[in-house]
Amino acid sequence: MTTDDPHAGHGDVTLALAEQLPDGGVLYQSWPICACRLPALREGLGPPRHQSLATREQAEATGRAVREVNSGVKLEGGQ
Ligand SMILES: [Zn+2]
């Protein structure tokens, strides 16, 4: 079976952007993209200023903590 989708069988990743706003706030946005685009993106951006690595358990714990804090952060899209 063939497909016309050049990304069939590739993994998905999340591209995230954090924009510092003039009022001190931060706008976070993310997009699902194909994992095959990562090498070109990394090459274009150069070495990251910050990087972190979390286990699945750590990532889930962080997500739960963020959701449980009543900070008034407006979440849109996704889950
Ligand atoms: Zn792809």
Side-chain angles (χ1 to χ4, degrees):
M1 180 177 201
T2 62
T3 176
D4 292 333
D5 182 357
H7 302 287
H10 296 178
D12 293 326
V13 299
T14 301
L15 176 65
L17 181 76
E19 180 183 5
Q20 311 293 322
L21 302 176
D23 66 359
V26 182
L27 172 64
Y28 295 101
Q29 297 175 307
S30 66
W31 298 263
I33 65 170
C34 187
C36 74
R37 298 176 67 188
L38 289 178
L41 283 170
R42 286 188 170 120
E43 184 177 325
L45 293 169
R49 179 178 294 175
H50 301 287
Q51 176 173 303
S52 64
L53 177 64
T55 65
R56 179 180 186 144
E57 291 77 19
Q58 292 167 329
E60 289 174 350
T62 300
R64 283 193 303 274
V66 169
R67 288 184 179 148
E68 291 171 3
V69 173
N70 185 15
S71 66
V73 172
K74 185 177 179 184
L75 300 175
E76 298 176 348
Q79 309 164 17

Short mmCIF file of all heavy atoms in Angstrom, two decimals:
data_model
loop_
_atom_site.label_atom_id
_atom_site.label_comp_id
_atom_site.label_asym_id
_atom_site.label_seq_id
_atom_site.Cartn_x
_atom_site.Cartn_y
_atom_site.Cartn_z
N MET A 1 0.85 -1.18 0.00
CA MET A 1 0.00 0.00 0.00
C MET A 1 0.89 1.24 0.00
O MET A 1 1.85 1.33 0.74
CB MET A 1 -0.90 -0.02 1.23
CG MET A 1 -1.82 1.16 1.32
SD MET A 1 -2.91 0.97 2.78
CE MET A 1 -4.21 2.05 2.30
N THR A 2 0.57 2.18 -0.85
CA THR A 2 1.34 3.43 -0.93
C THR A 2 0.48 4.59 -0.48
O THR A 2 -0.74 4.51 -0.49
CB THR A 2 1.85 3.68 -2.36
OG1 THR A 2 0.73 3.82 -3.21
CG2 THR A 2 2.75 2.56 -2.83
N THR A 3 1.15 5.65 -0.12
CA THR A 3 0.43 6.86 0.29
C THR A 3 1.11 8.06 -0.33
O THR A 3 2.30 8.04 -0.60
CB THR A 3 0.39 6.99 1.82
OG1 THR A 3 -0.23 8.23 2.15
CG2 THR A 3 1.79 6.96 2.41
N ASP A 4 0.34 9.10 -0.53
CA ASP A 4 0.90 10.34 -1.07
C ASP A 4 1.42 11.24 0.04
O ASP A 4 2.03 12.27 -0.24
CB ASP A 4 -0.16 11.09 -1.88
CG ASP A 4 -0.54 10.33 -3.15
OD1 ASP A 4 0.31 9.58 -3.66
OD2 ASP A 4 -1.68 10.50 -3.61
N ASP A 5 1.18 10.86 1.27
CA ASP A 5 1.62 11.69 2.40
C ASP A 5 3.11 11.48 2.64
O ASP A 5 3.52 10.40 3.06
CB ASP A 5 0.82 11.32 3.65
CG ASP A 5 1.19 12.18 4.85
OD1 ASP A 5 2.11 13.04 4.74
OD2 ASP A 5 0.56 12.00 5.90
N PRO A 6 3.93 12.52 2.38
CA PRO A 6 5.37 12.34 2.57
C PRO A 6 5.77 12.18 4.04
O PRO A 6 6.91 11.83 4.33
CB PRO A 6 5.97 13.62 1.98
CG PRO A 6 4.89 14.64 2.12
CD PRO A 6 3.59 13.87 1.94
N HIS A 7 4.83 12.42 4.94
CA HIS A 7 5.14 12.32 6.37
C HIS A 7 4.53 11.07 7.02
O HIS A 7 4.60 10.91 8.23
CB HIS A 7 4.65 13.58 7.10
CG HIS A 7 5.28 14.82 6.56
ND1 HIS A 7 6.58 15.18 6.78
CD2 HIS A 7 4.76 15.79 5.75
CE1 HIS A 7 6.86 16.31 6.16
NE2 HIS A 7 5.77 16.70 5.52
N ALA A 8 3.94 10.21 6.21
CA ALA A 8 3.36 8.98 6.75
C ALA A 8 4.45 8.17 7.44
O ALA A 8 5.54 8.00 6.91
CB ALA A 8 2.72 8.18 5.62
N GLY A 9 4.17 7.72 8.62
CA GLY A 9 5.13 6.92 9.37
C GLY A 9 6.11 7.73 10.19
O GLY A 9 6.92 7.16 10.92
N HIS A 10 6.09 9.05 10.06
CA HIS A 10 6.97 9.90 10.87
C HIS A 10 6.28 10.20 12.20
O HIS A 10 5.06 10.21 12.28
CB HIS A 10 7.25 11.24 10.17
CG HIS A 10 7.99 11.09 8.87
ND1 HIS A 10 8.30 12.15 8.07
CD2 HIS A 10 8.51 10.01 8.26
CE1 HIS A 10 8.96 11.74 7.00
NE2 HIS A 10 9.10 10.43 7.09
N GLY A 11 7.05 10.49 13.19
CA GLY A 11 6.49 10.85 14.49
C GLY A 11 6.02 12.29 14.51
O GLY A 11 6.33 13.09 13.62
N ASP A 12 5.24 12.60 15.52
CA ASP A 12 4.78 13.98 15.74
C ASP A 12 5.56 14.60 16.88
O ASP A 12 5.90 13.92 17.85
CB ASP A 12 3.29 13.99 16.10
CG ASP A 12 2.42 13.54 14.94
OD1 ASP A 12 2.78 13.83 13.79
OD2 ASP A 12 1.38 12.91 15.21
N VAL A 13 5.83 15.88 16.77
CA VAL A 13 6.46 16.64 17.85
C VAL A 13 5.69 17.94 18.02
O VAL A 13 4.88 18.32 17.18
CB VAL A 13 7.95 16.94 17.55
CG1 VAL A 13 8.75 15.67 17.41
CG2 VAL A 13 8.09 17.80 16.33
N THR A 14 5.96 18.61 19.11
CA THR A 14 5.33 19.90 19.37
C THR A 14 6.35 21.01 19.26
O THR A 14 7.39 20.97 19.92
CB THR A 14 4.71 19.93 20.79
OG1 THR A 14 3.75 18.87 20.88
CG2 THR A 14 4.04 21.26 21.07
N LEU A 15 6.08 21.96 18.40
CA LEU A 15 6.92 23.15 18.27
C LEU A 15 6.33 24.21 19.19
O LEU A 15 5.16 24.57 19.06
CB LEU A 15 6.93 23.65 16.82
CG LEU A 15 7.69 24.94 16.56
CD1 LEU A 15 9.17 24.74 16.82
CD2 LEU A 15 7.45 25.42 15.14
N ALA A 16 7.12 24.69 20.15
CA ALA A 16 6.63 25.67 21.12
C ALA A 16 7.38 26.99 20.99
O ALA A 16 8.57 27.01 20.66
CB ALA A 16 6.80 25.12 22.54
N LEU A 17 6.66 28.06 21.25
CA LEU A 17 7.22 29.40 21.16
C LEU A 17 6.78 30.19 22.40
O LEU A 17 5.61 30.11 22.80
CB LEU A 17 6.68 30.08 19.89
CG LEU A 17 7.15 31.47 19.59
CD1 LEU A 17 8.57 31.42 19.04
CD2 LEU A 17 6.25 32.12 18.56
N ALA A 18 7.70 30.88 23.02
CA ALA A 18 7.38 31.74 24.15
C ALA A 18 7.82 33.16 23.81
O ALA A 18 9.01 33.40 23.63
CB ALA A 18 8.08 31.24 25.42
N GLU A 19 6.87 34.05 23.71
CA GLU A 19 7.16 35.44 23.35
C GLU A 19 7.02 36.34 24.57
O GLU A 19 5.97 36.38 25.20
CB GLU A 19 6.17 35.90 22.26
CG GLU A 19 6.40 37.33 21.82
CD GLU A 19 5.38 37.80 20.80
OE1 GLU A 19 4.43 37.04 20.49
OE2 GLU A 19 5.52 38.93 20.31
N GLN A 20 8.11 37.04 24.89
CA GLN A 20 8.08 38.00 25.99
C GLN A 20 7.31 39.23 25.52
O GLN A 20 7.66 39.83 24.51
CB GLN A 20 9.50 38.42 26.38
CG GLN A 20 10.46 37.26 26.60
CD GLN A 20 10.11 36.41 27.80
OE1 GLN A 20 9.67 36.90 28.81
NE2 GLN A 20 10.29 35.11 27.67
N LEU A 21 6.29 39.63 26.25
CA LEU A 21 5.46 40.76 25.86
C LEU A 21 5.94 42.03 26.54
O LEU A 21 6.55 41.98 27.62
CB LEU A 21 4.01 40.48 26.21
CG LEU A 21 3.41 39.21 25.55
CD1 LEU A 21 2.00 38.98 26.04
CD2 LEU A 21 3.48 39.32 24.03
N PRO A 22 5.69 43.19 25.93
CA PRO A 22 6.15 44.46 26.50
C PRO A 22 5.65 44.71 27.92
O PRO A 22 6.31 45.37 28.72
CB PRO A 22 5.59 45.51 25.53
CG PRO A 22 5.40 44.78 24.25
CD PRO A 22 5.04 43.37 24.63
N ASP A 23 4.49 44.16 28.27
CA ASP A 23 3.93 44.39 29.61
C ASP A 23 4.47 43.40 30.65
O ASP A 23 4.02 43.37 31.79
CB ASP A 23 2.41 44.33 29.57
CG ASP A 23 1.87 42.94 29.22
OD1 ASP A 23 2.68 42.01 28.99
OD2 ASP A 23 0.63 42.79 29.17
N GLY A 24 5.44 42.56 30.27
CA GLY A 24 6.03 41.59 31.20
C GLY A 24 5.39 40.23 31.12
O GLY A 24 5.87 39.29 31.74
N GLY A 25 4.32 40.11 30.41
CA GLY A 25 3.66 38.81 30.25
C GLY A 25 4.40 37.95 29.24
O GLY A 25 5.40 38.37 28.64
N VAL A 26 3.91 36.77 29.09
CA VAL A 26 4.50 35.83 28.14
C VAL A 26 3.37 35.15 27.37
O VAL A 26 2.40 34.68 27.97
CB VAL A 26 5.34 34.74 28.85
CG1 VAL A 26 5.99 33.80 27.83
CG2 VAL A 26 6.40 35.36 29.73
N LEU A 27 3.51 35.11 26.06
CA LEU A 27 2.57 34.39 25.21
C LEU A 27 3.22 33.07 24.82
O LEU A 27 4.30 33.06 24.22
CB LEU A 27 2.23 35.20 23.95
CG LEU A 27 1.40 34.47 22.89
CD1 LEU A 27 0.03 34.11 23.43
CD2 LEU A 27 1.30 35.33 21.63
N TYR A 28 2.59 31.97 25.21
CA TYR A 28 3.07 30.64 24.84
C TYR A 28 2.17 30.10 23.72
O TYR A 28 0.94 30.15 23.84
CB TYR A 28 3.01 29.68 26.03
CG TYR A 28 3.92 30.03 27.16
CD1 TYR A 28 3.46 30.67 28.29
CD2 TYR A 28 5.28 29.72 27.10
CE1 TYR A 28 4.30 31.01 29.33
CE2 TYR A 28 6.13 30.04 28.14
CZ TYR A 28 5.63 30.70 29.26
OH TYR A 28 6.47 31.02 30.29
N GLN A 29 2.77 29.59 22.67
CA GLN A 29 2.02 28.98 21.59
C GLN A 29 2.71 27.67 21.20
O GLN A 29 3.92 27.54 21.35
CB GLN A 29 1.97 29.90 20.36
CG GLN A 29 1.26 31.21 20.61
CD GLN A 29 1.34 32.14 19.41
OE1 GLN A 29 2.42 32.42 18.92
NE2 GLN A 29 0.19 32.60 18.96
N SER A 30 1.94 26.74 20.67
CA SER A 30 2.55 25.50 20.20
C SER A 30 1.80 24.98 18.98
O SER A 30 0.63 25.28 18.78
CB SER A 30 2.56 24.45 21.31
OG SER A 30 1.24 24.06 21.64
N TRP A 31 2.54 24.22 18.19
CA TRP A 31 1.99 23.63 16.97
C TRP A 31 2.48 22.19 16.85
O TRP A 31 3.66 21.92 17.09
CB TRP A 31 2.50 24.37 15.73
CG TRP A 31 2.12 25.80 15.64
CD1 TRP A 31 1.08 26.31 14.95
CD2 TRP A 31 2.78 26.93 16.24
NE1 TRP A 31 1.05 27.68 15.08
CE2 TRP A 31 2.08 28.09 15.87
CE3 TRP A 31 3.89 27.07 17.08
CZ2 TRP A 31 2.46 29.35 16.29
CZ3 TRP A 31 4.26 28.32 17.51
CH2 TRP A 31 3.55 29.45 17.11
N PRO A 32 1.59 21.29 16.45
CA PRO A 32 2.05 19.93 16.16
C PRO A 32 2.69 19.92 14.77
O PRO A 32 2.10 20.43 13.81
CB PRO A 32 0.76 19.10 16.18
CG PRO A 32 -0.32 20.08 15.84
CD PRO A 32 0.14 21.43 16.33
N ILE A 33 3.89 19.39 14.68
CA ILE A 33 4.58 19.30 13.39
C ILE A 33 5.19 17.91 13.26
O ILE A 33 5.29 17.16 14.22
CB ILE A 33 5.69 20.37 13.22
CG1 ILE A 33 6.81 20.16 14.23
CG2 ILE A 33 5.10 21.78 13.32
CD1 ILE A 33 8.03 21.02 13.96
N CYS A 34 5.63 17.61 12.06
CA CYS A 34 6.24 16.32 11.81
C CYS A 34 7.68 16.32 12.34
O CYS A 34 8.42 17.28 12.15
CB CYS A 34 6.23 16.01 10.32
SG CYS A 34 6.80 14.34 9.97
N ALA A 35 8.07 15.22 12.95
CA ALA A 35 9.41 15.12 13.52
C ALA A 35 10.52 15.24 12.48
O ALA A 35 11.63 15.65 12.82
CB ALA A 35 9.55 13.79 14.27
N CYS A 36 10.23 14.96 11.24
CA CYS A 36 11.28 15.03 10.22
C CYS A 36 11.71 16.48 9.96
O CYS A 36 12.75 16.70 9.33
CB CYS A 36 10.85 14.35 8.93
SG CYS A 36 9.65 15.26 7.95
N ARG A 37 10.96 17.44 10.45
CA ARG A 37 11.32 18.85 10.24
C ARG A 37 12.30 19.36 11.30
O ARG A 37 12.85 20.46 11.19
CB ARG A 37 10.05 19.71 10.24
CG ARG A 37 9.11 19.32 9.09
CD ARG A 37 7.82 20.07 9.11
NE ARG A 37 8.07 21.49 8.85
CZ ARG A 37 7.14 22.43 8.96
NH1 ARG A 37 5.92 22.11 9.30
NH2 ARG A 37 7.43 23.68 8.72
N LEU A 38 12.52 18.58 12.36
CA LEU A 38 13.37 19.04 13.46
C LEU A 38 14.82 19.33 13.07
O LEU A 38 15.36 20.37 13.48
CB LEU A 38 13.33 18.04 14.62
CG LEU A 38 12.01 18.01 15.39
CD1 LEU A 38 12.08 16.95 16.49
CD2 LEU A 38 11.69 19.37 15.97
N PRO A 39 15.49 18.46 12.34
CA PRO A 39 16.89 18.75 12.03
C PRO A 39 17.07 20.09 11.32
O PRO A 39 17.97 20.86 11.65
CB PRO A 39 17.31 17.57 11.14
CG PRO A 39 16.42 16.45 11.58
CD PRO A 39 15.09 17.12 11.87
N ALA A 40 16.22 20.40 10.35
CA ALA A 40 16.34 21.67 9.63
C ALA A 40 16.02 22.85 10.54
O ALA A 40 16.68 23.90 10.48
CB ALA A 40 15.41 21.67 8.42
N LEU A 41 15.03 22.69 11.41
CA LEU A 41 14.70 23.76 12.34
C LEU A 41 15.85 24.03 13.31
O LEU A 41 16.23 25.17 13.55
CB LEU A 41 13.44 23.41 13.14
CG LEU A 41 12.12 23.58 12.41
CD1 LEU A 41 10.99 22.96 13.22
CD2 LEU A 41 11.83 25.05 12.16
N ARG A 42 16.42 22.95 13.85
CA ARG A 42 17.54 23.10 14.80
C ARG A 42 18.75 23.73 14.12
O ARG A 42 19.44 24.57 14.70
CB ARG A 42 17.90 21.75 15.41
CG ARG A 42 16.89 21.28 16.42
CD ARG A 42 17.37 20.03 17.15
NE ARG A 42 16.51 19.73 18.28
CZ ARG A 42 15.82 18.61 18.41
NH1 ARG A 42 15.91 17.66 17.49
NH2 ARG A 42 15.04 18.42 19.45
N GLU A 43 19.01 23.31 12.90
CA GLU A 43 20.14 23.88 12.17
C GLU A 43 19.94 25.37 11.94
O GLU A 43 20.86 26.16 12.08
CB GLU A 43 20.32 23.16 10.84
CG GLU A 43 21.54 23.64 10.06
CD GLU A 43 21.74 22.85 8.78
OE1 GLU A 43 21.45 21.65 8.76
OE2 GLU A 43 22.18 23.46 7.79
N GLY A 44 18.72 25.77 11.59
CA GLY A 44 18.44 27.17 11.34
C GLY A 44 18.50 28.03 12.59
O GLY A 44 18.90 29.19 12.54
N LEU A 45 18.08 27.46 13.71
CA LEU A 45 18.03 28.22 14.97
C LEU A 45 19.36 28.24 15.71
O LEU A 45 19.61 29.14 16.51
CB LEU A 45 16.94 27.64 15.88
CG LEU A 45 15.51 27.80 15.38
CD1 LEU A 45 14.55 26.97 16.23
CD2 LEU A 45 15.12 29.27 15.38
N GLY A 46 20.19 27.24 15.50
CA GLY A 46 21.45 27.15 16.23
C GLY A 46 21.24 26.55 17.60
O GLY A 46 20.15 26.10 17.93
N PRO A 47 22.29 26.55 18.43
CA PRO A 47 22.18 25.95 19.76
C PRO A 47 21.12 26.66 20.61
O PRO A 47 21.02 27.89 20.57
CB PRO A 47 23.57 26.17 20.37
CG PRO A 47 24.47 26.41 19.19
CD PRO A 47 23.62 27.06 18.14
N PRO A 48 20.34 25.91 21.39
CA PRO A 48 19.33 26.54 22.23
C PRO A 48 19.96 27.28 23.40
O PRO A 48 21.02 26.89 23.89
CB PRO A 48 18.49 25.36 22.73
CG PRO A 48 19.44 24.20 22.71
CD PRO A 48 20.35 24.45 21.54
N ARG A 49 19.31 28.33 23.85
CA ARG A 49 19.78 29.05 25.04
C ARG A 49 19.45 28.24 26.29
O ARG A 49 20.22 28.20 27.24
CB ARG A 49 19.12 30.42 25.14
CG ARG A 49 19.57 31.19 26.39
CD ARG A 49 18.97 32.55 26.48
NE ARG A 49 19.48 33.38 25.40
CZ ARG A 49 19.07 34.61 25.15
NH1 ARG A 49 18.13 35.15 25.90
NH2 ARG A 49 19.57 35.30 24.17
N HIS A 50 18.29 27.61 26.29
CA HIS A 50 17.86 26.77 27.41
C HIS A 50 17.35 25.46 26.85
O HIS A 50 16.84 25.40 25.74
CB HIS A 50 16.72 27.44 28.21
CG HIS A 50 17.10 28.76 28.77
ND1 HIS A 50 17.94 28.90 29.83
CD2 HIS A 50 16.75 30.00 28.40
CE1 HIS A 50 18.10 30.19 30.09
NE2 HIS A 50 17.38 30.87 29.23
N GLN A 51 17.48 24.44 27.68
CA GLN A 51 17.00 23.12 27.29
C GLN A 51 16.68 22.36 28.56
O GLN A 51 17.36 22.51 29.57
CB GLN A 51 18.10 22.40 26.50
CG GLN A 51 17.78 20.99 26.11
CD GLN A 51 18.85 20.42 25.18
OE1 GLN A 51 19.11 20.97 24.13
NE2 GLN A 51 19.46 19.32 25.58
N SER A 52 15.63 21.54 28.52
CA SER A 52 15.34 20.68 29.66
C SER A 52 14.87 19.34 29.13
O SER A 52 14.40 19.23 27.99
CB SER A 52 14.28 21.30 30.57
OG SER A 52 13.05 21.42 29.89
N LEU A 53 15.01 18.35 29.95
CA LEU A 53 14.58 17.00 29.60
C LEU A 53 13.82 16.45 30.79
O LEU A 53 14.31 16.51 31.92
CB LEU A 53 15.80 16.12 29.29
CG LEU A 53 15.51 14.66 28.96
CD1 LEU A 53 14.69 14.56 27.68
CD2 LEU A 53 16.81 13.89 28.82
N ALA A 54 12.61 15.97 30.57
CA ALA A 54 11.79 15.44 31.65
C ALA A 54 11.34 14.04 31.30
O ALA A 54 11.08 13.73 30.13
CB ALA A 54 10.57 16.33 31.88
N THR A 55 11.26 13.20 32.33
CA THR A 55 10.66 11.89 32.14
C THR A 55 9.16 12.07 31.95
O THR A 55 8.60 13.14 32.22
CB THR A 55 10.90 10.98 33.35
OG1 THR A 55 10.21 11.55 34.48
CG2 THR A 55 12.38 10.82 33.65
N ARG A 56 8.48 11.05 31.49
CA ARG A 56 7.02 11.13 31.34
C ARG A 56 6.35 11.47 32.67
O ARG A 56 5.45 12.31 32.74
CB ARG A 56 6.48 9.79 30.81
CG ARG A 56 4.98 9.79 30.65
CD ARG A 56 4.48 8.47 30.13
NE ARG A 56 3.06 8.58 29.87
CZ ARG A 56 2.46 7.97 28.87
NH1 ARG A 56 3.13 7.23 28.05
NH2 ARG A 56 1.16 8.10 28.71
N GLU A 57 6.83 10.85 33.74
CA GLU A 57 6.24 11.11 35.05
C GLU A 57 6.46 12.57 35.46
O GLU A 57 5.56 13.21 36.02
CB GLU A 57 6.85 10.18 36.10
CG GLU A 57 6.46 8.71 35.94
CD GLU A 57 7.21 8.01 34.79
OE1 GLU A 57 8.27 8.51 34.35
OE2 GLU A 57 6.73 6.96 34.35
N GLN A 58 7.64 13.09 35.20
CA GLN A 58 7.93 14.48 35.55
C GLN A 58 7.08 15.43 34.71
O GLN A 58 6.56 16.43 35.23
CB GLN A 58 9.41 14.78 35.33
CG GLN A 58 10.32 14.06 36.31
CD GLN A 58 11.78 14.11 35.88
OE1 GLN A 58 12.10 14.15 34.68
NE2 GLN A 58 12.68 14.11 36.85
N ALA A 59 6.92 15.14 33.42
CA ALA A 59 6.11 16.01 32.56
C ALA A 59 4.66 16.00 33.00
O ALA A 59 3.99 17.05 33.04
CB ALA A 59 6.24 15.55 31.10
N GLU A 60 4.14 14.82 33.35
CA GLU A 60 2.75 14.74 33.80
C GLU A 60 2.56 15.45 35.13
O GLU A 60 1.55 16.13 35.34
CB GLU A 60 2.33 13.26 33.91
CG GLU A 60 2.18 12.61 32.55
CD GLU A 60 1.91 11.12 32.62
OE1 GLU A 60 2.01 10.52 33.72
OE2 GLU A 60 1.61 10.55 31.55
N ALA A 61 3.52 15.34 36.03
CA ALA A 61 3.43 16.02 37.33
C ALA A 61 3.45 17.54 37.13
O ALA A 61 2.71 18.27 37.79
CB ALA A 61 4.58 15.58 38.23
N THR A 62 4.27 18.01 36.21
CA THR A 62 4.33 19.44 35.93
C THR A 62 2.99 19.92 35.36
O THR A 62 2.47 20.96 35.76
CB THR A 62 5.47 19.75 34.95
OG1 THR A 62 6.70 19.34 35.53
CG2 THR A 62 5.54 21.23 34.62
N GLY A 63 2.43 19.13 34.44
CA GLY A 63 1.14 19.50 33.85
C GLY A 63 0.04 19.57 34.90
O GLY A 63 -0.77 20.49 34.91
N ARG A 64 0.04 18.59 35.82
CA ARG A 64 -0.98 18.60 36.89
C ARG A 64 -0.79 19.82 37.79
O ARG A 64 -1.76 20.47 38.16
CB ARG A 64 -0.89 17.32 37.73
CG ARG A 64 -1.51 16.11 37.06
CD ARG A 64 -1.67 14.95 38.04
NE ARG A 64 -0.41 14.55 38.65
CZ ARG A 64 0.45 13.69 38.10
NH1 ARG A 64 0.17 13.13 36.95
NH2 ARG A 64 1.57 13.38 38.72
N ALA A 65 0.44 20.14 38.11
CA ALA A 65 0.71 21.28 38.99
C ALA A 65 0.25 22.58 38.34
O ALA A 65 -0.36 23.43 38.99
CB ALA A 65 2.20 21.34 39.32
N VAL A 66 0.51 22.73 37.05
CA VAL A 66 0.11 23.95 36.35
C VAL A 66 -1.41 24.08 36.34
O VAL A 66 -1.96 25.16 36.56
CB VAL A 66 0.68 23.96 34.91
CG1 VAL A 66 0.05 25.07 34.07
CG2 VAL A 66 2.19 24.10 34.94
N ARG A 67 -2.09 22.95 36.10
CA ARG A 67 -3.55 23.00 36.05
C ARG A 67 -4.17 23.28 37.41
O ARG A 67 -5.26 23.84 37.51
CB ARG A 67 -4.10 21.69 35.50
CG ARG A 67 -3.84 21.53 34.02
CD ARG A 67 -4.48 20.27 33.49
NE ARG A 67 -4.23 20.15 32.07
CZ ARG A 67 -4.09 19.00 31.44
NH1 ARG A 67 -4.17 17.88 32.10
NH2 ARG A 67 -3.88 18.97 30.15
N GLU A 68 -3.50 22.88 38.48
CA GLU A 68 -4.06 23.03 39.81
C GLU A 68 -3.85 24.42 40.39
O GLU A 68 -4.51 24.80 41.35
CB GLU A 68 -3.45 21.98 40.75
CG GLU A 68 -3.92 20.57 40.41
CD GLU A 68 -3.18 19.49 41.16
OE1 GLU A 68 -2.32 19.82 42.01
OE2 GLU A 68 -3.44 18.30 40.89
N VAL A 69 -2.94 25.19 39.82
CA VAL A 69 -2.69 26.54 40.32
C VAL A 69 -3.71 27.48 39.69
O VAL A 69 -3.86 27.53 38.48
CB VAL A 69 -1.26 27.00 39.95
CG1 VAL A 69 -1.06 28.46 40.33
CG2 VAL A 69 -0.24 26.14 40.64
N ASN A 70 -4.40 28.22 40.52
CA ASN A 70 -5.41 29.14 40.01
C ASN A 70 -4.75 30.48 39.74
O ASN A 70 -4.93 31.46 40.45
CB ASN A 70 -6.54 29.30 41.03
CG ASN A 70 -7.66 30.15 40.47
OD1 ASN A 70 -7.74 30.41 39.27
ND2 ASN A 70 -8.52 30.61 41.35
N SER A 71 -3.97 30.53 38.64
CA SER A 71 -3.23 31.75 38.31
C SER A 71 -4.00 32.63 37.35
O SER A 71 -3.58 33.76 37.09
CB SER A 71 -1.89 31.37 37.70
OG SER A 71 -2.09 30.73 36.44
N GLY A 72 -5.08 32.12 36.79
CA GLY A 72 -5.83 32.90 35.82
C GLY A 72 -5.28 32.80 34.41
O GLY A 72 -5.73 33.49 33.51
N VAL A 73 -4.26 31.94 34.20
CA VAL A 73 -3.71 31.76 32.86
C VAL A 73 -4.81 31.23 31.96
O VAL A 73 -5.53 30.29 32.31
CB VAL A 73 -2.50 30.78 32.89
CG1 VAL A 73 -2.07 30.44 31.48
CG2 VAL A 73 -1.37 31.39 33.68
N LYS A 74 -4.94 31.85 30.80
CA LYS A 74 -5.97 31.44 29.84
C LYS A 74 -5.40 30.39 28.91
O LYS A 74 -4.45 30.66 28.18
CB LYS A 74 -6.44 32.66 29.04
CG LYS A 74 -7.58 32.36 28.10
CD LYS A 74 -8.04 33.62 27.40
CE LYS A 74 -9.17 33.32 26.44
NZ LYS A 74 -9.57 34.51 25.69
N LEU A 75 -5.96 29.18 28.95
CA LEU A 75 -5.53 28.09 28.09
C LEU A 75 -6.49 27.98 26.92
O LEU A 75 -7.71 27.99 27.11
CB LEU A 75 -5.48 26.77 28.85
CG LEU A 75 -4.55 26.72 30.06
CD1 LEU A 75 -4.70 25.39 30.79
CD2 LEU A 75 -3.11 26.91 29.62
N GLU A 76 -5.96 27.88 25.73
CA GLU A 76 -6.79 27.75 24.55
C GLU A 76 -6.30 26.59 23.71
O GLU A 76 -5.10 26.35 23.59
CB GLU A 76 -6.72 29.02 23.69
CG GLU A 76 -7.22 30.25 24.41
CD GLU A 76 -7.03 31.51 23.58
OE1 GLU A 76 -6.32 31.48 22.56
OE2 GLU A 76 -7.61 32.53 23.97
N GLY A 77 -7.25 25.87 23.13
CA GLY A 77 -6.90 24.78 22.23
C GLY A 77 -6.39 23.57 22.96
O GLY A 77 -6.07 23.61 24.14
N GLY A 78 -6.27 22.48 22.22
CA GLY A 78 -5.70 21.25 22.78
C GLY A 78 -6.43 20.76 23.99
O GLY A 78 -7.60 21.00 24.18
N GLN A 79 -5.67 20.05 24.81
CA GLN A 79 -6.26 19.46 26.02
C GLN A 79 -5.51 19.93 27.24
O GLN A 79 -4.36 20.15 27.21
CB GLN A 79 -6.15 17.94 25.97
CG GLN A 79 -6.67 17.39 24.69
CD GLN A 79 -6.21 15.95 24.48
OE1 GLN A 79 -5.78 15.27 25.38
NE2 GLN A 79 -6.28 15.50 23.26
ZN ZN B 1 7.77 14.09 8.10
#
